Every structure is written in C-alpha cells, then in structure tokens.
Amino acid sequence: MTTNPQLLDAAYLAFWRERHLCTLTTPRPDGSPHVVPVGVTYDPERGLARVIADKASRKVRNVLAAESQGARVAVCQVDGRRWATLEGRAYVRTEPMRVAEAERRYAERYGRTPRVNPSRVVIEIEVGRAMGRG
C-alpha cells in the first residue's frame, strides 16, 4: 500500500504509536544508502516524523549535506508481516524547543526518557509518502 500521509487509517497510525525499533535510511555523499537503527515518532497532525540524534553522527551529517533542500530519507518499522515506511525530506533542527518536543514524544512512545545529551539534535522528516501492510 502506498498512500497520501493525510489519508492514513487508524490501524496504521496506531502501529506508529506502538513500541518498535525502526530504521532510518539517509543518502551518503556518494549517493549510497546509509541505514541505521533508531527510535522514530510520528506526528500525523503536523506530518512530521522525528528522530533524536547526536549532532556528530553520520546520519546527521548525511542530512546536513543536503543543505536547504533537505535530504530524501525513509524511516521503516517491521513487526512480523506488518510493516510501515514513511518517506520525505529531512532537516536537522537544533532549537531547544524542537529537541525537547522530540524527546518528549520519544519518551511517550518508548516508555523511557532519553539520556541527557547536550549534543542532541532532532532530524525532522516532512512526510510526503506512506507505505505499509497491516
């Protein structure tokens, strides 16, 4: 299933609230995919997926390399035969309020507060496409 993220059904959205490890795929400078395990939160009202990260990480550097046009990325989660992918443009945000919101949402979804990290940033993904199978 591929769909407009504005038209997602309740089961798909519920899947993104369950506790699942996800992957984030970002483009390396040579165009090859860089895939890493991450925690992801999805805010369907704003059309944003969020990943908290250290500002020195490869995933953050990959997103920053895309500059103002944003990096084309995907986040995915799998649970047996169920899977869900969100694709869109990613941007690194450093504003304390945005980082705090991402940390709050992470704690809500994953049931634990992230450790303190003064180098933390948030990768915000403006979701343009959703895929999955429930």
Side-chain angles (χ1 to χ4, degrees), residues 62-80:
N62 288 345
V63 172
L64 288 172
E67 299 179 351
S68 64
Q69 72 264 19
R72 293 191 57 135
V73 305
V75 289
C76 184
Q77 64 183 18
V78 177
D79 181 34

Side-chain angles (χ1 to χ4, degrees), residues 25-35 58 61-63 65-66 69 71-74:
T25 303
T26 59
R28 290 187 180 105
D30 68 2
S32 64
H34 177 258
V35 184
R58 165 52 58 196
R61 291 193 318 266
N62 288 345
V63 172
Q69 72 264 19
R72 293 191 57 135
V73 305

Side-chain angles (χ1 to χ4, degrees), residues 77-100:
Q77 64 183 18
V78 177
D79 181 34
R81 294 179 54 89
R82 294 187 308 160
W83 63 275
T85 298
L86 301 171
E87 296 179 359
R89 295 270 177 192
Y91 303 88
V92 175
R93 307 296 189 199
T94 59
E95 298 91 336
M97 291 184 68
R98 285 183 140 150
V99 174

Side-chain angles (χ1 to χ4, degrees), residues 53-55 94 96 99 103 115-121:
D54 189 278
K55 69 180 176 185
T94 59
V99 174
E103 291 171 332
R115 66 177 169 73
V116 174
N117 180 354
S119 298
R120 179 167 291 131
V121 297

